mmCIF file of all heavy atoms in Angstrom:
data_model
loop_
_atom_site.group_PDB
_atom_site.id
_atom_site.type_symbol
_atom_site.label_atom_id
_atom_site.label_comp_id
_atom_site.label_asym_id
_atom_site.label_seq_id
_atom_site.Cartn_x
_atom_site.Cartn_y
_atom_site.Cartn_z
ATOM 1 N N LEU A 1 12.505 -14.063 -6.448
ATOM 2 C CA LEU A 1 12.685 -12.722 -6.989
ATOM 3 C C LEU A 1 13.968 -12.623 -7.803
ATOM 4 O O LEU A 1 14.006 -11.933 -8.832
ATOM 5 C CB LEU A 1 12.683 -11.691 -5.857
ATOM 6 C CG LEU A 1 11.343 -11.516 -5.135
ATOM 7 C CD1 LEU A 1 11.514 -10.628 -3.908
ATOM 8 C CD2 LEU A 1 10.285 -10.939 -6.067
ATOM 9 N N ASP A 2 15.017 -13.320 -7.363
ATOM 10 C CA ASP A 2 16.262 -13.330 -8.132
ATOM 11 C C ASP A 2 16.070 -13.978 -9.499
ATOM 12 O O ASP A 2 16.786 -13.641 -10.443
ATOM 13 C CB ASP A 2 17.358 -14.070 -7.355
ATOM 14 C CG ASP A 2 17.895 -13.261 -6.177
ATOM 15 O OD1 ASP A 2 17.669 -12.033 -6.151
ATOM 16 O OD2 ASP A 2 18.523 -13.868 -5.288
ATOM 17 N N ARG A 3 15.124 -14.903 -9.597
ATOM 18 C CA ARG A 3 14.804 -15.537 -10.877
ATOM 19 C C ARG A 3 13.784 -14.729 -11.683
ATOM 20 O O ARG A 3 13.303 -15.174 -12.709
ATOM 21 C CB ARG A 3 14.253 -16.948 -10.635
ATOM 22 C CG ARG A 3 15.304 -17.975 -10.223
ATOM 23 C CD ARG A 3 14.653 -19.273 -9.793
ATOM 24 N NE ARG A 3 13.532 -19.644 -10.659
ATOM 25 C CZ ARG A 3 12.465 -20.332 -10.248
ATOM 26 N NH1 ARG A 3 12.356 -20.697 -8.985
ATOM 27 N NH2 ARG A 3 11.511 -20.645 -11.096
ATOM 28 N N ASP A 4 13.451 -13.543 -11.182
ATOM 29 C CA ASP A 4 12.494 -12.664 -11.859
ATOM 30 C C ASP A 4 11.097 -13.272 -11.881
ATOM 31 O O ASP A 4 10.369 -13.177 -12.874
ATOM 32 C CB ASP A 4 12.954 -12.333 -13.281
ATOM 33 C CG ASP A 4 12.347 -11.036 -13.804
ATOM 34 O OD1 ASP A 4 11.815 -10.271 -12.978
ATOM 35 O OD2 ASP A 4 12.401 -10.795 -15.018
ATOM 36 N N VAL A 5 10.716 -13.888 -10.754
ATOM 37 C CA VAL A 5 9.373 -14.441 -10.586
ATOM 38 C C VAL A 5 8.687 -13.692 -9.446
ATOM 39 O O VAL A 5 9.107 -13.811 -8.295
ATOM 40 C CB VAL A 5 9.409 -15.952 -10.267
ATOM 41 C CG1 VAL A 5 8.000 -16.485 -10.031
ATOM 42 C CG2 VAL A 5 10.096 -16.725 -11.384
ATOM 43 N N PRO A 6 7.644 -12.906 -9.708
ATOM 44 C CA PRO A 6 6.900 -12.267 -8.626
ATOM 45 C C PRO A 6 6.332 -13.318 -7.680
ATOM 46 O O PRO A 6 6.023 -14.438 -8.093
ATOM 47 C CB PRO A 6 5.791 -11.507 -9.356
ATOM 48 C CG PRO A 6 6.281 -11.350 -10.758
ATOM 49 C CD PRO A 6 7.106 -12.560 -11.042
ATOM 50 N N VAL A 7 6.187 -12.957 -6.426
ATOM 51 C CA VAL A 7 5.814 -13.924 -5.392
ATOM 52 C C VAL A 7 4.425 -13.596 -4.841
ATOM 53 O O VAL A 7 4.186 -12.478 -4.364
ATOM 54 C CB VAL A 7 6.840 -13.921 -4.240
ATOM 55 C CG1 VAL A 7 6.437 -14.938 -3.170
ATOM 56 C CG2 VAL A 7 8.240 -14.223 -4.773
ATOM 57 N N ILE A 8 3.517 -14.562 -4.903
ATOM 58 C CA ILE A 8 2.196 -14.397 -4.292
ATOM 59 C C ILE A 8 2.316 -14.704 -2.809
ATOM 60 O O ILE A 8 2.721 -15.793 -2.410
ATOM 61 C CB ILE A 8 1.167 -15.317 -4.961
ATOM 62 C CG1 ILE A 8 0.986 -14.939 -6.435
ATOM 63 C CG2 ILE A 8 -0.174 -15.239 -4.233
ATOM 64 C CD1 ILE A 8 0.041 -15.854 -7.195
ATOM 65 N N LEU A 9 1.981 -13.719 -1.985
ATOM 66 C CA LEU A 9 2.082 -13.831 -0.534
ATOM 67 C C LEU A 9 0.690 -13.741 0.078
ATOM 68 O O LEU A 9 -0.110 -12.868 -0.291
ATOM 69 C CB LEU A 9 2.954 -12.698 0.016
ATOM 70 C CG LEU A 9 2.981 -12.507 1.542
ATOM 71 C CD1 LEU A 9 3.692 -13.676 2.227
ATOM 72 C CD2 LEU A 9 3.635 -11.179 1.917
ATOM 73 N N SER A 10 0.415 -14.623 1.019
ATOM 74 C CA SER A 10 -0.838 -14.580 1.758
ATOM 75 C C SER A 10 -0.616 -13.922 3.109
ATOM 76 O O SER A 10 0.252 -14.349 3.882
ATOM 77 C CB SER A 10 -1.391 -15.994 1.960
ATOM 78 O OG SER A 10 -2.475 -15.974 2.878
ATOM 79 N N ILE A 11 -1.371 -12.871 3.372
ATOM 80 C CA ILE A 11 -1.446 -12.293 4.720
ATOM 81 C C ILE A 11 -2.673 -12.935 5.349
ATOM 82 O O ILE A 11 -3.808 -12.562 5.056
ATOM 83 C CB ILE A 11 -1.572 -10.761 4.662
ATOM 84 C CG1 ILE A 11 -0.364 -10.172 3.932
ATOM 85 C CG2 ILE A 11 -1.697 -10.176 6.066
ATOM 86 C CD1 ILE A 11 -0.488 -8.695 3.620
ATOM 87 N N GLY A 12 -2.445 -13.965 6.164
ATOM 88 C CA GLY A 12 -3.523 -14.840 6.604
ATOM 89 C C GLY A 12 -4.559 -14.149 7.476
ATOM 90 O O GLY A 12 -4.323 -13.079 8.045
ATOM 91 N N ARG A 13 -5.706 -14.800 7.595
ATOM 92 C CA ARG A 13 -6.752 -14.284 8.472
ATOM 93 C C ARG A 13 -6.367 -14.523 9.926
ATOM 94 O O ARG A 13 -5.433 -15.288 10.217
ATOM 95 C CB ARG A 13 -8.103 -14.916 8.149
ATOM 96 C CG ARG A 13 -8.157 -16.417 8.352
ATOM 97 C CD ARG A 13 -9.506 -16.977 7.933
ATOM 98 N NE ARG A 13 -9.747 -16.767 6.504
ATOM 99 C CZ ARG A 13 -10.608 -15.870 6.042
ATOM 100 N NH1 ARG A 13 -11.305 -15.103 6.859
ATOM 101 N NH2 ARG A 13 -10.783 -15.744 4.730
ATOM 102 N N ASN A 14 -7.044 -13.865 10.844
ATOM 103 C CA ASN A 14 -6.780 -14.070 12.269
ATOM 104 C C ASN A 14 -7.102 -15.518 12.652
ATOM 105 O O ASN A 14 -8.143 -16.060 12.262
ATOM 106 C CB ASN A 14 -7.622 -13.119 13.110
ATOM 107 C CG ASN A 14 -7.197 -11.658 12.966
ATOM 108 O OD1 ASN A 14 -7.886 -10.755 13.412
ATOM 109 N ND2 ASN A 14 -6.061 -11.399 12.346
ATOM 110 N N PHE A 15 -6.168 -16.126 13.397
ATOM 111 C CA PHE A 15 -6.326 -17.525 13.771
ATOM 112 C C PHE A 15 -5.463 -17.804 15.006
ATOM 113 O O PHE A 15 -4.336 -17.324 15.100
ATOM 114 C CB PHE A 15 -5.890 -18.429 12.610
ATOM 115 C CG PHE A 15 -6.153 -19.882 12.835
ATOM 116 C CD1 PHE A 15 -7.396 -20.424 12.554
ATOM 117 C CD2 PHE A 15 -5.165 -20.709 13.359
ATOM 118 C CE1 PHE A 15 -7.636 -21.774 12.770
ATOM 119 C CE2 PHE A 15 -5.410 -22.054 13.578
ATOM 120 C CZ PHE A 15 -6.648 -22.589 13.282
ATOM 121 N N PRO A 16 -5.942 -18.558 15.988
ATOM 122 C CA PRO A 16 -7.238 -19.266 16.019
ATOM 123 C C PRO A 16 -8.407 -18.388 16.482
ATOM 124 O O PRO A 16 -9.561 -18.795 16.375
ATOM 125 C CB PRO A 16 -6.981 -20.391 17.020
ATOM 126 C CG PRO A 16 -5.977 -19.811 17.962
ATOM 127 C CD PRO A 16 -5.099 -18.908 17.138
ATOM 128 N N ARG A 17 -8.096 -17.179 16.993
ATOM 129 C CA ARG A 17 -9.189 -16.301 17.456
ATOM 130 C C ARG A 17 -9.725 -15.522 16.252
ATOM 131 O O ARG A 17 -9.393 -14.368 16.034
ATOM 132 C CB ARG A 17 -8.677 -15.382 18.558
ATOM 133 C CG ARG A 17 -8.408 -16.140 19.873
ATOM 134 C CD ARG A 17 -7.754 -15.266 20.905
ATOM 135 N NE ARG A 17 -6.329 -15.074 20.622
ATOM 136 C CZ ARG A 17 -5.503 -14.400 21.422
ATOM 137 N NH1 ARG A 17 -5.945 -13.846 22.527
ATOM 138 N NH2 ARG A 17 -4.228 -14.287 21.098
ATOM 139 N N VAL A 18 -10.579 -16.189 15.500
ATOM 140 C CA VAL A 18 -11.028 -15.653 14.225
ATOM 141 C C VAL A 18 -11.917 -14.431 14.382
ATOM 142 O O VAL A 18 -12.154 -13.701 13.405
ATOM 143 C CB VAL A 18 -11.774 -16.746 13.420
ATOM 144 C CG1 VAL A 18 -10.826 -17.865 13.048
ATOM 145 C CG2 VAL A 18 -12.975 -17.282 14.202
ATOM 146 N N TRP A 19 -12.435 -14.180 15.580
ATOM 147 C CA TRP A 19 -13.311 -13.031 15.794
ATOM 148 C C TRP A 19 -12.525 -11.725 15.942
ATOM 149 O O TRP A 19 -13.098 -10.643 15.914
ATOM 150 C CB TRP A 19 -14.161 -13.263 17.049
ATOM 151 C CG TRP A 19 -13.329 -13.492 18.283
ATOM 152 C CD1 TRP A 19 -12.816 -12.547 19.130
ATOM 153 C CD2 TRP A 19 -12.891 -14.755 18.772
ATOM 154 N NE1 TRP A 19 -12.092 -13.135 20.122
ATOM 155 C CE2 TRP A 19 -12.123 -14.502 19.942
ATOM 156 C CE3 TRP A 19 -13.073 -16.080 18.371
ATOM 157 C CZ2 TRP A 19 -11.539 -15.522 20.699
ATOM 158 C CZ3 TRP A 19 -12.502 -17.086 19.126
ATOM 159 C CH2 TRP A 19 -11.738 -16.803 20.260
ATOM 160 N N ARG A 20 -11.226 -11.828 16.090
ATOM 161 C CA ARG A 20 -10.423 -10.614 16.219
ATOM 162 C C ARG A 20 -10.301 -9.910 14.861
ATOM 163 O O ARG A 20 -10.577 -10.487 13.811
ATOM 164 C CB ARG A 20 -9.025 -10.956 16.745
ATOM 165 C CG ARG A 20 -9.020 -11.641 18.100
ATOM 166 C CD ARG A 20 -7.622 -12.091 18.469
ATOM 167 N NE ARG A 20 -6.725 -10.963 18.719
ATOM 168 C CZ ARG A 20 -5.397 -11.081 18.829
ATOM 169 N NH1 ARG A 20 -4.822 -12.256 18.676
ATOM 170 N NH2 ARG A 20 -4.668 -10.014 19.072
ATOM 171 N N ASN A 21 -9.853 -8.650 14.899
ATOM 172 C CA ASN A 21 -9.643 -7.916 13.651
ATOM 173 C C ASN A 21 -8.269 -7.237 13.684
ATOM 174 O O ASN A 21 -8.143 -6.035 13.457
ATOM 175 C CB ASN A 21 -10.749 -6.880 13.443
ATOM 176 C CG ASN A 21 -10.725 -6.300 12.029
ATOM 177 O OD1 ASN A 21 -10.317 -6.977 11.079
ATOM 178 N ND2 ASN A 21 -11.136 -5.054 11.884
ATOM 179 N N VAL A 22 -7.245 -8.043 13.947
ATOM 180 C CA VAL A 22 -5.871 -7.541 13.941
ATOM 181 C C VAL A 22 -5.382 -7.495 12.490
ATOM 182 O O VAL A 22 -5.620 -8.434 11.714
ATOM 183 C CB VAL A 22 -4.950 -8.443 14.780
ATOM 184 C CG1 VAL A 22 -3.517 -7.916 14.757
ATOM 185 C CG2 VAL A 22 -5.471 -8.535 16.206
ATOM 186 N N GLU A 23 -4.708 -6.409 12.118
ATOM 187 C CA GLU A 23 -4.229 -6.244 10.745
ATOM 188 C C GLU A 23 -2.749 -5.873 10.745
ATOM 189 O O GLU A 23 -2.213 -5.419 11.756
ATOM 190 C CB GLU A 23 -5.038 -5.158 10.032
ATOM 191 C CG GLU A 23 -6.510 -5.506 9.886
ATOM 192 C CD GLU A 23 -7.277 -4.459 9.112
ATOM 193 O OE1 GLU A 23 -6.903 -3.260 9.184
ATOM 194 O OE2 GLU A 23 -8.255 -4.826 8.429
ATOM 195 N N THR A 24 -2.106 -6.080 9.595
ATOM 196 C CA THR A 24 -0.721 -5.653 9.415
ATOM 197 C C THR A 24 -0.692 -4.452 8.484
ATOM 198 O O THR A 24 -1.544 -4.304 7.609
ATOM 199 C CB THR A 24 0.156 -6.796 8.867
ATOM 200 O OG1 THR A 24 1.535 -6.419 8.954
ATOM 201 C CG2 THR A 24 -0.176 -7.120 7.430
ATOM 202 N N ALA A 25 0.297 -3.586 8.685
ATOM 203 C CA ALA A 25 0.301 -2.271 8.032
ATOM 204 C C ALA A 25 0.990 -2.295 6.678
ATOM 205 O O ALA A 25 1.967 -3.024 6.474
ATOM 206 C CB ALA A 25 0.978 -1.251 8.943
ATOM 207 N N PHE A 26 0.481 -1.478 5.763
ATOM 208 C CA PHE A 26 1.136 -1.162 4.493
ATOM 209 C C PHE A 26 1.592 0.296 4.557
ATOM 210 O O PHE A 26 0.848 1.170 5.010
ATOM 211 C CB PHE A 26 0.173 -1.308 3.310
ATOM 212 C CG PHE A 26 -0.124 -2.729 2.911
ATOM 213 C CD1 PHE A 26 -1.100 -2.991 1.965
ATOM 214 C CD2 PHE A 26 0.558 -3.798 3.466
ATOM 215 C CE1 PHE A 26 -1.386 -4.282 1.573
ATOM 216 C CE2 PHE A 26 0.269 -5.098 3.089
ATOM 217 C CZ PHE A 26 -0.697 -5.342 2.141
ATOM 218 N N TYR A 27 2.813 0.542 4.037
ATOM 219 C CA TYR A 27 3.368 1.889 4.054
ATOM 220 C C TYR A 27 3.558 2.392 2.626
ATOM 221 O O TYR A 27 3.793 1.611 1.695
ATOM 222 C CB TYR A 27 4.714 1.911 4.782
ATOM 223 C CG TYR A 27 4.609 1.535 6.244
ATOM 224 C CD1 TYR A 27 4.734 0.207 6.645
ATOM 225 C CD2 TYR A 27 4.373 2.497 7.211
ATOM 226 C CE1 TYR A 27 4.623 -0.155 7.984
ATOM 227 C CE2 TYR A 27 4.263 2.152 8.557
ATOM 228 C CZ TYR A 27 4.388 0.823 8.930
ATOM 229 O OH TYR A 27 4.276 0.476 10.251
ATOM 230 N N THR A 28 3.476 3.697 2.470
ATOM 231 C CA THR A 28 3.769 4.313 1.183
ATOM 232 C C THR A 28 5.264 4.223 0.909
ATOM 233 O O THR A 28 6.069 4.514 1.805
ATOM 234 C CB THR A 28 3.340 5.790 1.186
ATOM 235 O OG1 THR A 28 1.937 5.860 1.459
ATOM 236 C CG2 THR A 28 3.637 6.452 -0.156
ATOM 237 N N PRO A 29 5.691 3.805 -0.284
ATOM 238 C CA PRO A 29 7.128 3.735 -0.582
ATOM 239 C C PRO A 29 7.818 5.073 -0.329
ATOM 240 O O PRO A 29 7.341 6.127 -0.743
ATOM 241 C CB PRO A 29 7.149 3.367 -2.074
ATOM 242 C CG PRO A 29 5.869 2.623 -2.295
ATOM 243 C CD PRO A 29 4.869 3.294 -1.408
ATOM 244 N N GLY A 30 8.942 5.004 0.370
ATOM 245 C CA GLY A 30 9.687 6.203 0.717
ATOM 246 C C GLY A 30 9.234 6.851 2.004
ATOM 247 O O GLY A 30 9.863 7.795 2.486
ATOM 248 N N ARG A 31 8.134 6.363 2.589
ATOM 249 C CA ARG A 31 7.613 6.940 3.835
ATOM 250 C C ARG A 31 7.409 5.858 4.892
ATOM 251 O O ARG A 31 6.443 5.882 5.649
ATOM 252 C CB ARG A 31 6.294 7.665 3.567
ATOM 253 C CG ARG A 31 6.417 8.808 2.563
ATOM 254 C CD ARG A 31 5.069 9.461 2.309
ATOM 255 N NE ARG A 31 5.171 10.496 1.289
ATOM 256 C CZ ARG A 31 4.131 11.164 0.806
ATOM 257 N NH1 ARG A 31 2.901 10.872 1.237
ATOM 258 N NH2 ARG A 31 4.306 12.092 -0.118
ATOM 259 N N GLU A 32 8.336 4.921 4.916
ATOM 260 C CA GLU A 32 8.192 3.785 5.833
ATOM 261 C C GLU A 32 8.247 4.198 7.297
ATOM 262 O O GLU A 32 7.722 3.488 8.166
ATOM 263 C CB GLU A 32 9.286 2.746 5.548
ATOM 264 C CG GLU A 32 9.129 2.013 4.236
ATOM 265 C CD GLU A 32 9.700 2.761 3.047
ATOM 266 O OE1 GLU A 32 10.137 3.926 3.234
ATOM 267 O OE2 GLU A 32 9.733 2.199 1.936
ATOM 268 N N SER A 33 8.890 5.316 7.600
ATOM 269 C CA SER A 33 8.979 5.764 8.994
ATOM 270 C C SER A 33 7.751 6.551 9.431
ATOM 271 O O SER A 33 7.606 6.883 10.603
ATOM 272 C CB SER A 33 10.225 6.632 9.189
ATOM 273 O OG SER A 33 10.190 7.770 8.332
ATOM 274 N N GLY A 34 6.857 6.863 8.503
ATOM 275 C CA GLY A 34 5.651 7.611 8.826
ATOM 276 C C GLY A 34 4.493 6.697 9.167
ATOM 277 O O GLY A 34 4.642 5.479 9.326
ATOM 278 N N PRO A 35 3.301 7.275 9.272
ATOM 279 C CA PRO A 35 2.116 6.459 9.576
ATOM 280 C C PRO A 35 1.773 5.547 8.405
ATOM 281 O O PRO A 35 2.073 5.861 7.247
ATOM 282 C CB PRO A 35 1.024 7.508 9.806
ATOM 283 C CG PRO A 35 1.484 8.722 9.059
ATOM 284 C CD PRO A 35 2.980 8.706 9.150
ATOM 285 N N PRO A 36 1.126 4.406 8.667
ATOM 286 C CA PRO A 36 0.763 3.485 7.580
ATOM 287 C C PRO A 36 -0.211 4.125 6.592
ATOM 288 O O PRO A 36 -1.032 4.967 6.955
ATOM 289 C CB PRO A 36 0.099 2.315 8.323
ATOM 290 C CG PRO A 36 0.568 2.421 9.736
ATOM 291 C CD PRO A 36 0.760 3.883 9.994
ATOM 292 N N ALA A 37 -0.112 3.697 5.338
ATOM 293 C CA ALA A 37 -1.077 4.141 4.327
ATOM 294 C C ALA A 37 -2.403 3.418 4.507
ATOM 295 O O ALA A 37 -3.474 3.987 4.257
ATOM 296 C CB ALA A 37 -0.521 3.880 2.933
#
């Protein structure tokens, strides 16, 4: 980012228990303390 290169990030699938559906949250900018978007 300091070199002004955007970074491709992978939010991986559930592993090794692939049948689960656990997710990570995204928040609205400026509302990080509120509920996830």
Side-chain angles (χ1 to χ4, degrees):
L1 292 172
D2 286 343
R3 286 171 41 210
D4 203 15
V5 177
V7 180
I8 297 177
L9 170 69
S10 170
I11 301 171
R13 62 183 63 253
N14 291 169
F15 186 84
R17 289 173 283 184
V18 295
W19 58 87
R20 301 173 68 192
N21 192 30
V22 179
E23 297 183 329
T24 191
F26 285 172
Y27 297 90
T28 301
R31 300 178 184 175
E32 290 84 355
S33 59

